[in-house]
Amino acid sequence: MRTLTVAVLVLAFAACKDDPKPDTTSKPAAPEAIPSDIVYNSFFSSPSAAANLKVQFDGGLDAGGNAAVTEGPTGKAAVVDPGAEPKTKLSYAFTMGKTSVVTATVTASVGGEGPAAGDQPPFKFTFNATPKTHAPDGKTHFDLKIQKVEIVVTGQMDPQMAQQKGVLEKAFAGLEGGFDATSNGDVENVSLAAEKVPRMAQQILPLFAQSLEFLVVPVPSVPVGVGAKWTTTSHDEQMGATVITTYTLVSHNGSVAQIKTDITRSAPKKAFEDPQAPPGSMLEVKGNGSYVIDLRLDGVSSKADGSSTMTIALTAPGQPTQNTTVKQTQALESK
């Protein structure tokens, strides 16, 4: 998941603290209020979060899980409008062994109740992406290696927070992973060597996985022209949300294509199962986003920029709805 992953991750990071101690006092008769420090998805603060890394991206990329995707003729992109003449087939032909140095920055602002409200520090990831091998089934395997992670904090920090920041940043140096991509840009088998990352830093792993979303994106398996539109539909199993991404071809010159993406996400109200949440709590998610991506058809994208908004509504019986809105921007460049 793109946007919601950032939402819950930012909330978890900002509200990071010791596990709450058991409450030995008597319970009030009135309806139980939603705790102000609740983490919306306990998955990201779980000790097994990294080992069970499962991140659903809006474009259909599912790191460690299976996305239910509406497929086109031979790929995951379903063409809605073939666009203007002349038409050409967009197809990736990755250059083996050519390493791209990628810088991806994710920034979020959280509005609503809870201690995480406000602007969150940007996370800046610098990593290598290398098409390493090409399999007989047509898939190309990419190696990933993180050079560094920066949590961009301005102004004064207390010594304890500065030390924690330094530990988090150092935990990712040299972390390796990979993914497979087809000539149609369908991405599978995203993996990270998460067992090498300390527990405290594991909460950032889904955010790094999210930064991979623009490296390779789905393209149609049939010829298209400028103005063409195609879609992917995926299901976020974690939140029960349907994610529809519409891609529009803005321009192409045979080796580089500029694509605009528009994303909608919706999940009906569902039971929210978290030990900190009062029984009967319900969660509803809605969101949208828009990005512009410059694709290199011989490697990973050269540039991507965009923003999205996600609204998370949490309701407990007898209590007013607690709304949290996460506004997120992403910027990626590769050389």
Side-chain angles (χ1 to χ4, degrees):
M1 174 190 121
R2 282 181 188 160
T3 310
L4 185 57
T5 296
V6 169
V8 293
L9 182 63
V10 168
L11 288 166
F13 178 74
C16 185
K17 58 186 72 178
D18 293 335
D19 293 334
K21 295 179 174 58
D23 184 2
T24 57
T25 61
S26 59
K27 301 295 181 182
E32 184 181 357
I34 301 171
S36 63
D37 63 347
I38 194 166
V39 176
Y40 285 94
N41 190 336
S42 59
F43 167 80
F44 293 105
S45 57
S46 166
S48 61
N52 298 291
L53 181 62
K54 183 169 184 174
V55 183
Q56 176 68 56
F57 294 136
D58 289 338
L61 180 65
D62 191 8
N66 297 312
V69 179
T70 301
E71 297 191 356
T74 59
K76 296 181 180 180
V79 176
V80 176
D81 183 340
E85 297 290 349
K87 295 181 175 64
T88 187
K89 188 176 185 304
L90 302 177
S91 181
Y92 291 95
F94 302 112
T95 303
M96 295 299 105
K98 182 180 179 180
T99 297
S100 296
V101 179
V102 184
T103 302
T105 303
V106 181
T107 305
S109 176
V110 182
E113 299 85 354
D119 294 336
Q120 306 300 312
F123 284 75
K124 185 177 180 180
F125 302 94
T126 301
F127 59 96
N128 295 344
T130 308
K132 203 68 174 181
T133 58
H134 189 69
D137 62 3
K139 295 177 184 176
T140 298
H141 180 75
F142 279 75
D143 283 353
L144 299 171
K145 186 173 183 178
I146 297 180
Q147 293 183 9
K148 62 180 178 178
V149 175
E150 300 172 75
I151 305 173
V152 185
V153 178
T154 58
Q156 295 293 323
M157 296 179 63
D158 64 69
Q160 183 178 1
M161 183 63 71
Q163 181 181 19
Q164 185 183 63
K165 174 179 176 293
V167 170
L168 287 171
E169 292 175 335
K170 291 178 182 178
F172 289 92
L175 182 67
E176 296 181 347
F179 64 89
D180 297 331
T182 69
S183 60
N184 287 330
D186 300 328
V187 175
E188 304 171 354
N189 304 322
V190 180
S191 64
L192 296 170
E195 69 279 0
K196 298 180 180 180
V197 178
R199 176 182 174 181
M200 182 177 66
Q202 288 177 3
Q203 295 184 39
I204 303 177
L205 283 172
L207 190 59
F208 170 68
Q210 179 176 350
S211 74
L212 308 177
E213 63 185 328
F214 296 132
L215 293 185
V216 180
V217 301
V219 295
S221 56
V222 298
V224 291
V226 171
K229 295 181 183 294
W230 59 95
T231 65
T232 60
T233 301
S234 59
H235 182 71
D236 170 13
E237 296 178 0
Q238 194 74 28
M239 299 303 298
T242 298
V243 182
I244 299 175
T245 303
T246 300
Y247 303 84
T248 302
L249 179 60
V250 177
S251 64
H252 69 87
N253 62 11
S255 60
V256 177
Q258 186 175 87
I259 293 174
K260 181 176 182 293
T261 67
D262 294 288
I263 303 151
T264 61
R265 170 182 293 273
S266 61
K269 280 188 178 181
K270 60 173 289 186
F272 178 55
E273 299 177 0
D274 186 285
Q276 296 185 65
S281 295
M282 302 292 289
L283 188 73
E284 185 177 14
V285 177
K286 294 181 180 179
N288 58 74
S290 182
Y291 302 85
V292 175
I293 307 167
D294 291 346
L295 301 184
R296 287 194 194 104
L297 297 175
D298 64 349
V300 299
S301 299
S302 60
K303 186 177 180 181
D305 291 285
S307 62
S308 61
T309 300
M310 176 67 59
T311 300
I312 307 167
L314 182 61
T315 305
Q319 296 292 328
T321 298
Q322 178 177 310
N323 291 302
T324 300
T325 300
V326 178
K327 296 181 179 179
Q328 173 201 311
T329 63
Q330 288 201 61
L332 176 148
E333 291 186 356
S334 71
K335 298 179 180 179

